[in-house]
Every structure is written in C-alpha cells, then in structure tokens.
Amino acid sequence: MNHSKQVKGVFFAVLLLVLAAIAVNIQVSSIQSAMRAFVDEEGNWAKAQRSAFQSFISFQHTKDDIHLEEFNRHLSFNKGMITAKKHLDNKAFDQAKSTLTAIGADSYNTDKIVYLSRYFSWLNQSQKAFAIWDNANILVVKLEQLVHDYSSESNPAIKTSILNNINSTQQNMLKAEKDFEQAFINLAKQTDTALSAITAIIFCLLGTVIFVFFKKTMNKITENDELYQATFNKSQLAYVQFKLNGDLIHANPQFLRLINGNHNAIKGLNFFEILRNQGNHGRLISIKNNRKHQDFEFKFSESKNQDSFYKAHTTLIHNYSGTPLYFVAAINDISKEKAQNSALKKLAHKDYLTGLLNKFAFEKHLTIALQNQTNGYLLYMDLNNFKAVNDQAGHQIGDRILENVSSRIKRQLRKDDPLARMGGDEFAVFLENTTLQRAIVIAKNIKDSVGSKPFTHQDNIFNVGVSIGISGLSHNDTSINELINHADQACYHSKSSNKVIVHESLRQRHSA
C-alpha cells in the first residue's frame, strides 16, 4: 500500500470517528437540555404545591371556602403533571405534550421532557427520577384527599389527626423535590461518564486505525524531518522544539514573536526558564510520568496590567526503538476563552434580565450566612397587579418594569445587601447587621418606592405594588428553606393586608 492510499484510509477512518464523536456530543447535549427542562418544570410543580399548601393554611385559620378554592386551583398544575406522566408511561407522547401545554408548561421544556421520556427513559437515573415523580404524584392525590376530608370533618380529634397527616405529606413532598433534583444531578453525571467512555473508545479506535496504517512506515515518518520542518514553520500556532532539559532546539516565527526573540538567540534560551521568568512554574511537564502527550497552561505578561494566557500541547518525540529524544509543543492563545469562561461563571449566578443574583446564588449566600451563624432578616417580595402588565402590554414591557422595579428596590438598600430575583415577579433581599425595626423601615421604603410612581407605556398606566414579608435568621436556625418559607408566608398575608408583614415566629422570638 502506497502512502497516498494510507493517507486516504486514515482520513476516512478519522472522519467517521469524528462524526461519531459529534453525534455522541449532540445526543448528550440534548439529554442535558432535557434534564434542565425537567428541573425547570419541577420548580413550577414545587411552587404550585407550596402555594396550594399556603391556601390550605389560610383556610385552616379562616374557614373561608375561597381559600379552599385557591387550594384546588393551585393544585391543578400538579394534577395535570399526574395526567402527563400517565400519558408518558403509555407512550402517548402527543397527549402528554397537549396536557403539559394545557397546564401552562413552557413549550421548549415540554418538547425536551417528551424527548427524554421517548428516547432515554431506559437510563438507570431516568428510571429513578420517574419513580420519584410517581411517588410525588401519589402524594399530590393524597394531599388533595386529606384536605377534602379535613374540610368536611367536624370531629376535632379526627381533624387533628388529619392535619398531622397533611403536614407529614407536605414534608414528604418537599423531600420529593430534593430527591427529584438529585436524581437529575446523578443523571448528568451518568451521561458525562457515558460520554467519556464513548469518547475514549472513539479515540482508541482512532489510535488503532493510525497504528494499523502507519505501522510499517512509522520509523520513516519519525525521521522525515523535512516534512516536519515545513509544517512546523508554516503553522499559525506557536511551535517550539526543546530538549528534555528544556534547552530550545528550534522555534517557529509565531513563538519567537511571543517571547520577543530571534533565531540567533534560541540556543541560549531554556523553555523552563522562560516560563519561570513569567511567573509560571519552572517545569510544567515531566518525562518521569511516561506520558507521550501532556497539556498545560501558562501566562505571559504583555504589560503591567494585562496577562495573556496560553495552552501548550506537548508531545514527547521518540525514535523507532522508543528512546525519548525531545519535546515539541504547540501553543495556542486561550486568553479570549479564559475571559469568556469567567463571564459565563458570573452569568451562572446572575439573573439574565435584571442582573441581580439568581435564586441559586441567593440561597448559597443564605447557606453561608447560616454556617457563619450570621443574624439577619429576609425580605421576600412579590409584585401586585403585575400579571395585568403582561396581559395588556406584553412580556417585553413586563421585563422593562421588572428592571425598573429592581432599580427602585436597590436604591433603598446598602451597597452590599444581596438582592435576588427569585423567579417571575418575586424578589428577596437579606439584611445583615441590622435591627428588626430597621428592616421594617427598609421594607416600607421599598413598598413606597415601588408603588409611589405608576409605570407607563404609551397610553397605558400600570399601578404595580409590592407585598413584603419578613422572616429572621439567627444562629439557632438550621434550615434556609424554613427561613424562605416563613418570609413567603408573611408575604402571602401581606397581599391581603397591604402592609409589611413580619412572620409570626419572628414576632414570638422578639417578644420572648
């Protein structure tokens, strides 16, 4: 077989393997998108069931049937998810999609949920997540029946027993939320593992193909210095060839520009010394680990205020008998990639619309505050009459109002007070190193700031207000979920009273 046929054979083999790798990555990306869709709708499921439970608490205290109606209305989303799950189990995917759409699930999330259920329900972690979903559906039915029994029961002792069962069921539903999220975290790990295994197999196949086609000519290729030099000098990447001790042998023009050097000075330079003088480790690669290929990153200071980052892929060159001769490094500028990764990391903790903290980052802040035994007060805010904005003016105007509201809230806070958009039209802020009286004053200032000036669009005037509930964190607390739930409950009662409401547990603590 001549070299031309060998090259063609390797080319088509590599092409096939690359296409296989791309197909694997596309499938894994789709699975991960579907997992995010499941988590998003699980959040809606959780919000619906918590709202339903709050309505039941209101019914318990007021005996007003309107709260019972609210309970049923909030729970309709969860019941719709039960129906959708049955359709998915029966592989009636069109009916499942119609059901999810009817209860208000996001269309993108709906497509991804159906996609994962149709093609990847056989995965072990998918089956675990679906089993948790089934158990959660049972709890929804049980909660609905218990609330119905409670509302129709007159015997105080039986009602107390039913109430205890309701509270237990609610706790189990909260646990189901966490278990469901954890199952999808495990599923993400499983798909990552599968991707790594398949990719490893593909590269093993690639290595086998190269070995088969080039086995008879390996020695000649390794000695063909003329071809190597042509590629070395014409590449757009920076290439450098250096001895095992780091002394430079040869470098292409791109590398010389990088170090501001010239060919005449190459023999007096050492690659490891160049790295050390730039503030990097003096020796980032080693012959002792017996690896042919090694990757590492390093930086070069182009000015006093700016560093450029590079990634080097090094290859240890052997002769045909296996004796190591020297290193060749291909160096790529990754400064832009580093900056993009840094920006993406910041975005992962920010709300895409307002630039405030998102729910994940805010809860992480509360967790750290709890671990540090920090005392403080949580203000939970929910906008009033905001739905009318989206209905009348559209979501684009609604988004502008949300941005305006976040600015009004921020003006009433200190610079370092963590303010977050918890989702939709809900906001939260945690106030450290302050008193309850001061927290109430800040809440009233926020309420006045948001509601004092109407929002206008063309000829429309929107009077958007805000309901605010307050709960407190002390070193005796053990759960941020309880802190958030208390503030959310107080916020719910704030809607009917049009006042800032302090949660009962906080009032008891300060009166004790």
Side-chain angles (χ1 to χ4, degrees), residues 196-228:
S196 299
I198 294 172
T199 303
I201 292 172
I202 290 174
F203 279 104
C204 286
L205 292 173
L206 179 60
T208 301
V209 169
I210 295 174
F211 177 77
V212 169
F213 282 95
F214 285 91
K215 181 178 180 181
K216 294 182 179 180
T217 58
M218 185 64 70
N219 189 41
K220 187 173 183 179
I221 292 175
T222 56
E223 295 175 355
N224 193 346
D225 187 61
E226 182 178 349
L227 177 61
Y228 161 74

Side-chain angles (χ1 to χ4, degrees), residues 64 411 437 489:
D64 190 343
R411 285 197 290 268
Q437 291 74 17
Q489 292 169 15

Side-chain angles (χ1 to χ4, degrees), residues 203-405:
F203 279 104
C204 286
L205 292 173
L206 179 60
T208 301
V209 169
I210 295 174
F211 177 77
V212 169
F213 282 95
F214 285 91
K215 181 178 180 181
K216 294 182 179 180
T217 58
M218 185 64 70
N219 189 41
K220 187 173 183 179
I221 292 175
T222 56
E223 295 175 355
N224 193 346
D225 187 61
E226 182 178 349
L227 177 61
Y228 161 74
Q229 291 292 348
T231 303
F232 192 87
N233 289 319
K234 292 182 180 180
S235 173
Q236 296 301 310
L237 296 178
Y239 274 94
V240 61
Q241 176 186 0
F242 53 95
K243 297 180 182 179
L244 302 181
N245 65 358
D247 290 341
L248 296 191
I249 301 173
H250 184 51
N252 69 350
Q254 286 76 12
F255 182 79
L256 294 176
R257 283 195 291 268
L258 180 64
I259 65 172
N260 294 321
N262 56 65
H263 282 287
N264 296 328
I266 282 180
K267 292 185 178 180
L269 297 177
N270 183 283
F271 187 68
F272 301 139
E273 285 294 331
I274 293 172
L275 295 180
R276 183 182 296 112
N277 292 337
Q278 291 290 330
N280 304 286
H281 296 298
R283 194 182 186 94
L284 297 176
I285 55 175
S286 173
I287 193 175
K288 296 180 180 179
N289 61 17
N290 200 31
R291 289 175 55 194
K292 183 177 178 64
H293 301 285
Q294 301 178 57
D295 293 332
F296 65 92
E297 295 181 7
F298 61 94
K299 66 179 180 179
F300 267 94
S301 299
E302 296 184 354
S303 66
K304 292 183 178 179
N305 299 322
Q306 183 177 0
D307 290 331
S308 293
F309 295 89
Y310 297 87
K311 184 174 183 178
H313 176 78
T314 62
T315 301
L316 182 58
I317 304 299
H318 301 79
N319 61 16
Y320 187 67
S321 63
T323 302
L325 302 176
Y326 51 81
F327 287 107
V328 174
I331 300 170
N332 188 27
D333 189 342
I334 59 170
S335 300
K336 185 179 295 185
E337 178 184 339
K338 283 273 190 182
Q340 291 174 342
N341 290 340
S342 177
L344 287 174
K345 186 174 181 181
K346 292 180 180 178
L347 286 175
H349 292 79
K350 295 291 185 179
D351 174 56
Y352 72 96
L353 177 64
T354 62
L356 304 178
L357 297 178
N358 59 21
K359 183 175 183 290
F360 170 79
F362 186 71
E363 290 184 349
K364 183 177 181 181
H365 183 94
L366 292 181
T367 300
I368 294 174
L370 180 61
Q371 293 172 349
N372 294 337
Q373 297 186 350
T374 302
N375 292 329
Y377 298 95
L378 173 64
L379 276 58
Y380 203 93
M381 295 161 274
D382 190 0
L383 299 186
N384 303 327
N385 305 321
F386 183 71
K387 185 176 183 299
V389 177
N390 287 331
D391 292 343
Q392 296 178 29
H395 287 279
Q396 185 175 7
I397 302 305
D399 289 348
R400 290 180 183 176
I401 290 179
L402 287 175
E403 293 174 329
N404 196 310
V405 166

Side-chain angles (χ1 to χ4, degrees), residues 54 362-363 365-371 374-380 422 428-432 469-491 501-506 509:
Q54 290 302 317
F362 186 71
E363 290 184 349
H365 183 94
L366 292 181
T367 300
I368 294 174
L370 180 61
Q371 293 172 349
T374 302
N375 292 329
Y377 298 95
L378 173 64
L379 276 58
Y380 203 93
M422 303 297 282
V429 62
F430 184 62
L431 304 174
E432 300 180 12
I470 302 177
S471 64
L473 177 67
S474 71
H475 65 274
N476 295 321
D477 293 315
T478 59
S479 170
I480 64 168
N481 289 331
E482 185 177 11
L483 174 70
I484 294 175
N485 287 338
H486 284 174
D488 193 16
Q489 292 169 15
C491 181
I501 299 297
V502 177
H503 190 266
E504 181 181 6
S505 62
L506 189 57
R509 183 189 303 170

Side-chain angles (χ1 to χ4, degrees), residues 12-83:
F12 285 111
V14 171
L15 179 62
L16 180 62
L17 292 171
V18 168
L19 291 175
I22 292 173
V24 169
N25 277 279
I26 290 174
Q27 289 298 325
V28 171
S29 176
S30 296
I31 294 175
Q32 291 174 340
S33 296
M35 288 187 287
R36 288 192 292 270
F38 266 97
V39 173
D40 284 346
E41 293 308 321
E42 183 275 335
N44 293 331
W45 183 92
K47 184 175 181 179
Q49 69 91 3
R50 286 197 294 267
S51 298
F53 187 72
Q54 290 302 317
S55 297
F56 166 71
I57 293 175
S58 299
F59 169 77
Q60 179 188 354
H61 292 296
T62 64
K63 304 299 185 294
D64 190 343
D65 287 341
I66 192 172
H67 295 300
L68 201 59
E69 294 175 1
E70 290 177 351
F71 169 84
N72 292 322
R73 186 174 71 255
H74 288 308
L75 210 63
S76 63
F77 182 91
N78 307 79
K79 293 169 67 177
M81 294 297 285
I82 294 176
T83 303

